[in-house]
Amino acid sequence: MVGEKPKVASRIANALGDYSTEENRGVKNYIIETDDKRIIIAPAVGHIFNLDQKGEGWDYPVFDVEWKPIFETSDSSGYVKKYYNNLRDQLEKADEYINACDFDLEGSVIGSNVIKHITGASEDRIQRMKFSTLTPEDLQNAFDDLEDFDHGMTEAGLTRHVLDYYYGVNVSRALMQAVRDNDRYKTLSTGRVQGPTLKILADREKEIMEFDPTPYWEIYLNHSEFQAQWEEDEDRIWDEETAEKIFKHVQGEEKAEVTNVKVNNYSHNPPIPFNLTGLQSEASSHHNISPKQAQSLAQELYENGLISYPRTESQKLPAKLGYKGLLKKLKNQDNYKDKAKKVLDKDEIYPRQGKKEDDAHPAIYPTGEPPGGSLSKQQRKVYDLIVKRFFAVFGDAAKRQSLTFTLDVKEHEFKAKSKITKQRNWYNLYEPYVRVEEAELPDMEEGQVLKVEDFEKEEKETQPPNRYSQSKIVNELEKRNLGTKATRAKSVDKLYNRNYIEEKPIEVTDLGLAITNTLENYCPNIVSEELTRQFEEKMQEIKEQNDTREDVLEEARDELGSILEQFKEKQKEIGGELVDTIDAERKRRRQLGPCDQCEDGTLRMIKKSGSRFVGCSEYPDCENTYPLPNNGDIKSTDEICEECNTPKIWVNRDNKKNYNMCIDPDCPTKDDW
Ligand SMILES: [Zn+2]
Ligand SMILES: [Zn+2]
């Protein structure tokens, strides 16, 4: 049996009863003996194989690809080798195989690649274990109820990998060679989801750049307890003259008559269960956790058996999960006792459901297993959000009331509005994650005359459309059916790494805009949502076994082959357009701001004979210099150190940790380094 990761393999062994362990090549295997069988559970570490081109070279297009052990093609994957060797040793002893990796396309690809490539076994000798949580009960049930080999899911997963390779590798190569034809070198990339994602962001960037703000005016009436606003036909005042006229007319008036009181009682429904995108956006707005972080924190909680599988599209919690059982378990946790009890005390325990479904997993829910004291702060935050959302979906709608008063001053109307909560209901279950407007107004009756303090006139401007935050763009991708729950956050992260986007909320760099323009002009299909979505639908067809991997890939080769042929003909010209932007962007990233030792100099990052340092543009007149770290990615930021006033740079070491630091090694901020 193949588990997706060492930790998961150990949880499966724990669930299935008495086991012994055996170490082989530094990897722990779990052995369970039954009357007629000896079951070996061996771990993978995520993907053991990845796609690579057959043969050598940097030309494009490459369509001839094969699966190879990942440590043969990637330098950073050396640690996978012992797992590969161990899996080979164990699988060679077996007569039958079980893929017990996570139940989704990735898990199907990981497990079946390992089994098929190492043993050559036919599909009728491979079974699939299907579970949504790593609790002993679920795992035991899944094992008692093994399913046949998941042909559709596996084929769909394999197709996705090949498509990503076709689009990612080929078009990225085309871009890089175009630049190389102009004697520049730069890692550029695009991909099946990355391309359309960048296009959405670039379109927004252009909208913002082209936005022309229009001035408008607002007039307020101030009362000792509230503020009302001039309103007519729900439009704004667009010219100063009109504003001035109205203002002059009412100015100095001391009385306003209440002419209309509108009360509206309404319900605010409880939220729907979390899918991954829903969780990501709440984690971002309440805890400032990025979508990618939220995804990996949730994955950790799942691997600890605390929540169900997080990579789900579903917003539904089926009754077979046993709501009461889960709630009772949560009641045993001190933090959640009261909230769980509130739900359990209800006459009818039924969750509100969302629209989205997922054929593999339900929405995210807590298993009720106690987390103990082992959770990190960040894990705890995500866990708390998941548990409280689970409670909230069982709550009754909150009762709200909106109030609108119309106040007359001469012939002008001013309006004051408020919204208040009458019955909190589900709000009590989701605390402190409820964000609703609460503004109370004093009691008023029609005909009543109020004392006015004064009037105010204010000039404002229409605002450009908002920039996307990371969680908003992930949301947008889901709404447009682009990418998958597992890959959306990663695509956005890739755009940051390539310097196509920067800052939070997201700004598209000149390089990002140039790449989008180039692709739009020369291979519009690569950035079109249409094509990406079309293949997403094809993969669904493969999953349901209405289409085949071979047919879909052939279609992709046809489509892409002709696009790339056209690109190649104009390669040099395309590169020429990109090079100017790349040069300007490089220069911008090297600039660190004014020199702290001379008048006219600018500090910039310099690379000379293998080492990096900061120097002044006025050298040799100014010899100001600072050292720079010699490995890792660095780039400039807009920040200045509060202690020493030198510019801060962004440092990314080994792709793991990134941070901002100032360039002065003697700065007090580095005392404890
Ligand atoms: Zn200087
Ligand atoms: Zn400093």
Side-chain angles (χ1 to χ4, degrees):
M1 184 190 296
V2 180
E4 186 155 324
K5 284 176 187 167
K7 196 168 195 172
V8 178
S10 116
R11 290 198 83 90
I12 296 174
N14 266 311
L16 301 188
D18 288 339
Y19 64 86
S20 56
T21 59
E22 214 174 79
E23 212 169 277
N24 176 50
R25 299 176 188 265
V27 178
K28 205 187 253 180
N29 298 296
Y30 302 83
I31 292 126
I32 296 171
E33 310 262 5
T34 68
D35 295 341
D36 55 341
K37 268 183 198 151
R38 184 179 150 85
I39 304 161
I40 306 171
I41 307 169
V45 265
H47 283 285
I48 301 281
F49 290 84
N50 71 346
L51 281 170
D52 196 23
Q53 72 184 86
K54 285 185 181 165
E56 301 280 304
W58 279 95
D59 201 13
Y60 66 88
V62 235
F63 291 129
D64 212 5
V65 295
E66 62 185 340
W67 291 93
K68 288 183 189 161
I70 202 164
F71 51 86
E72 288 177 11
T73 54
S74 150
D75 294 336
S76 58
S77 301
Y79 67 95
V80 177
K81 193 166 186 175
K82 65 177 183 185
Y83 290 93
Y84 170 86
N85 286 334
N86 175 61
L87 281 163
R88 196 187 52 205
D89 296 344
Q90 308 308 327
L91 287 166
E92 276 169 359
K93 293 184 220 163
D95 312 308
E96 283 172 45
Y97 312 93
I98 300 169
N99 177 6
C101 294
D102 292 343
F103 197 80
D104 63 6
L105 297 196
E106 286 313 299
S108 293
V109 169
I110 293 170
S112 80
N113 268 348
V114 163
I115 298 167
K116 285 184 175 178
H117 289 298
I118 290 178
T119 69
S122 58
E123 293 182 356
D124 56 338
R125 288 169 63 201
I126 310 173
Q127 287 177 295
R128 186 73 163 106
M129 208 162 127
K130 179 182 176 177
F131 48 85
S132 285
T133 75
L134 293 175
T135 56
E137 200 188 355
D138 265 22
L139 290 169
Q140 182 68 57
N141 288 341
F143 182 73
D144 293 341
D145 231 352
L146 287 176
E147 300 193 354
D148 287 343
F149 181 74
D150 47 333
H151 182 78
M153 255 171 73
T154 307
E155 289 295 303
L158 292 169
T159 309
R160 165 166 299 143
H161 277 268
V162 179
L163 281 178
D164 284 347
Y165 189 96
Y166 281 1
Y167 281 82
V169 170
N170 284 313
V171 186
S172 301
R173 273 187 193 181
L175 287 170
M176 281 192 278
Q177 289 197 14
V179 172
R180 191 187 281 185
D181 277 359
N182 290 271
D183 302 317
R184 297 291 198 292
Y185 296 87
K186 170 122 185 104
T187 307
L188 294 171
S189 76
T190 182
R192 214 169 46 83
V193 183
Q194 206 188 317
T197 307
L198 183 58
K199 163 119 170 78
I200 295 172
L201 293 167
D203 284 349
R204 176 58 54 93
E205 193 68 45
K206 285 180 210 159
E207 258 180 84
I208 293 171
M209 286 191 304
E210 286 158 14
F211 184 80
D212 192 8
T214 317
Y216 66 93
W217 284 262
E218 261 163 11
I219 298 169
Y220 301 106
L221 174 160
N222 290 323
H223 175 267
S224 57
E225 287 173 77
F226 62 91
Q227 189 173 57
Q229 194 181 332
W230 182 90
E231 208 179 285
E232 194 179 275
D233 306 329
E234 293 183 0
D235 196 16
R236 286 171 167 161
I237 310 172
W238 294 106
D239 65 292
E240 192 166 13
E241 214 177 301
T242 311
E244 191 58 31
K245 219 169 92 193
I246 299 170
F247 184 67
K248 282 243 168 80
H249 197 196
V250 295
Q251 203 182 15
E253 286 296 314
E254 290 179 350
K255 287 191 180 106
E257 190 190 348
V258 181
T259 53
N260 197 347
V261 177
K262 246 192 344 210
V263 182
N264 181 25
N265 289 304
Y266 64 100
S267 298
H268 183 195
N269 279 329
I272 54 173
F274 272 147
N275 64 6
L276 181 61
T277 316
L279 172 64
Q280 284 170 322
S281 89
E282 285 286 270
S284 155
S285 67
H286 295 288
H287 294 306
N288 202 15
I289 293 175
S290 79
K292 193 185 158 211
Q293 270 178 306
Q295 184 169 334
S296 60
L297 289 164
Q299 183 71 19
E300 289 159 23
L301 294 171
Y302 160 75
E303 284 166 17
N304 283 312
L306 301 179
I307 63 162
S308 63
Y309 196 57
R311 283 193 250 163
T312 177
E313 209 88 65
S314 171
Q315 298 168 327
K316 292 183 194 300
L317 293 169
K320 69 163 196 258
L321 298 176
Y323 310 135
K324 267 195 182 164
L326 293 168
L327 289 161
K328 279 182 186 153
K329 278 199 200 165
L330 289 164
K331 206 176 98 182
N332 292 331
Q333 294 186 36
D334 277 348
N335 308 354
Y336 301 122
K337 200 161 77 196
D338 295 344
K339 288 188 164 67
K341 200 169 165 302
K342 272 194 190 116
V343 182
L344 281 164
D345 284 347
K346 289 178 53 135
D347 295 337
E348 216 177 55
I349 298 178
Y350 196 76
R352 177 153 184 244
Q353 310 275 17
K355 285 202 183 92
K356 294 212 166 189
E357 298 187 53
D358 186 308
D359 23 2
H361 299 282
I364 304 170
Y365 64 91
T367 62
E369 299 289 319
S374 59
L375 294 187
S376 71
K377 242 187 200 163
Q378 297 290 81
Q379 288 172 333
R380 168 63 70 183
K381 285 178 185 166
V382 173
Y383 181 70
D384 191 60
L385 202 46
I386 291 169
V387 173
K388 288 179 180 165
R389 173 59 70 102
F390 181 70
F391 291 142
V393 301
F394 291 98
D396 292 322
K399 301 287 176 218
R400 301 263 292 163
Q401 189 177 69
S402 73
L403 269 174
T404 311
F405 298 115
T406 309
L407 308 172
D408 273 20
V409 180
K410 293 187 169 168
E411 71 268 29
H412 297 290
E413 287 189 347
F414 290 81
K415 285 196 170 139
K417 295 170 188 176
S418 81
K419 280 180 178 164
I420 50 169
T421 304
K422 295 298 228 185
Q423 278 176 46
R424 294 180 55 77
N425 296 337
W426 71 265
Y427 293 176
N428 289 327
L429 301 169
Y430 201 43
E431 278 303 331
Y433 307 119
V434 182
R435 276 190 191 159
V436 288
E437 199 188 310
E438 299 280 355
E440 201 149 4
L441 285 174
D443 282 334
M444 275 184 247
E445 273 169 42
E446 287 178 19
Q448 197 175 336
V449 177
L450 303 174
K451 188 171 178 329
V452 177
E453 288 195 333
D454 62 358
F455 292 89
E456 236 176 278
K457 185 180 75 168
E458 201 179 321
E459 180 177 352
K460 293 194 167 177
E461 256 182 5
T462 54
Q463 296 298 310
N466 285 331
R467 293 183 180 282
Y468 283 102
S469 66
Q470 291 186 66
S471 80
K472 281 267 164 54
I473 184 71
V474 168
N475 251 316
E476 187 66 29
L477 293 175
E478 182 184 52
K479 225 193 294 166
R480 299 188 193 203
N481 201 13
L482 291 168
T484 68
K485 57 230 165 191
T487 56
R488 287 176 194 127
K490 262 192 236 160
S491 300
V492 176
D493 215 52
K494 203 69 171 277
L495 296 175
Y496 274 108
N497 287 337
R498 291 278 177 257
N499 298 330
Y500 296 165
I501 60 176
E502 59 188 12
E503 303 296 332
K504 288 156 196 172
I506 299 171
E507 291 173 25
V508 180
T509 62
D510 288 346
L511 181 60
L513 292 172
I515 293 284
T516 311
N517 280 342
T518 304
L519 292 174
E520 258 183 319
N521 288 339
Y522 298 97
C523 28
N525 274 339
I526 301 298
V527 286
S528 98
E529 293 174 29
E530 226 16 74
L531 189 70
T532 299
R533 199 162 28 225
Q534 188 189 315
F535 277 114
E536 224 52 77
E537 279 156 19
K538 291 249 157 77
M539 268 171 301
Q540 191 60 33
E541 291 294 308
I542 297 174
K543 206 160 133 191
E544 286 158 18
Q545 311 203 30
N546 298 324
D547 209 335
T548 66
R549 168 158 55 118
E550 290 73 19
D551 285 352
V552 172
L553 291 180
E554 192 181 308
E555 201 182 313
R557 284 190 293 265
D558 283 349
E559 184 101 30
L560 198 57
S562 60
I563 295 174
L564 289 169
E565 233 167 77
Q566 290 166 27
F567 191 99
K568 216 170 204 171
E569 281 170 21
K570 295 182 204 148
Q571 186 169 290
K572 182 147 189 190
E573 180 189 334
I574 296 169
E577 291 174 17
L578 281 173
V579 156
D580 292 341
T581 320
I582 291 171
D583 287 349
E585 192 71 21
R586 277 197 178 141
K587 205 171 157 202
R588 181 173 77 91
R589 278 176 194 282
R590 279 203 308 264
Q591 303 285 356
L592 290 176
C595 177
D596 53 328
Q597 306 220 334
C598 71
E599 285 278 302
D600 310 317
T602 309
L603 291 180
R604 58 222 208 297
M605 299 194 264
I606 297 164
K607 200 172 173 182
K608 221 175 212 168
S609 46
S611 74
R612 305 190 286 199
F613 57 95
V614 174
C616 177
S617 56
E618 296 299 298
Y619 179 85
D621 289 341
C622 173
E623 290 181 349
N624 190 12
T625 158
Y626 293 99
L628 283 174
N630 264 327
N631 42 39
D633 277 342
I634 47 178
K635 66 186 182 206
S636 62
T637 71
D638 291 334
E639 289 172 51
I640 298 278
C641 177
E642 287 162 12
E643 291 283 343
C644 70
N645 284 322
T646 65
K648 282 187 166 182
I649 56 166
W650 175 88
V651 184
N652 180 20
R653 287 219 167 122
D654 311 326
N655 269 321
K656 276 181 206 130
K657 259 184 126 176
N658 50 56
Y659 50 92
N660 287 358
M661 64 164 208
C662 66
I663 51 175
D664 184 355
D666 299 324
C667 174
T669 59
K670 293 178 183 163
D671 279 351
D672 51 352
W673 282 34

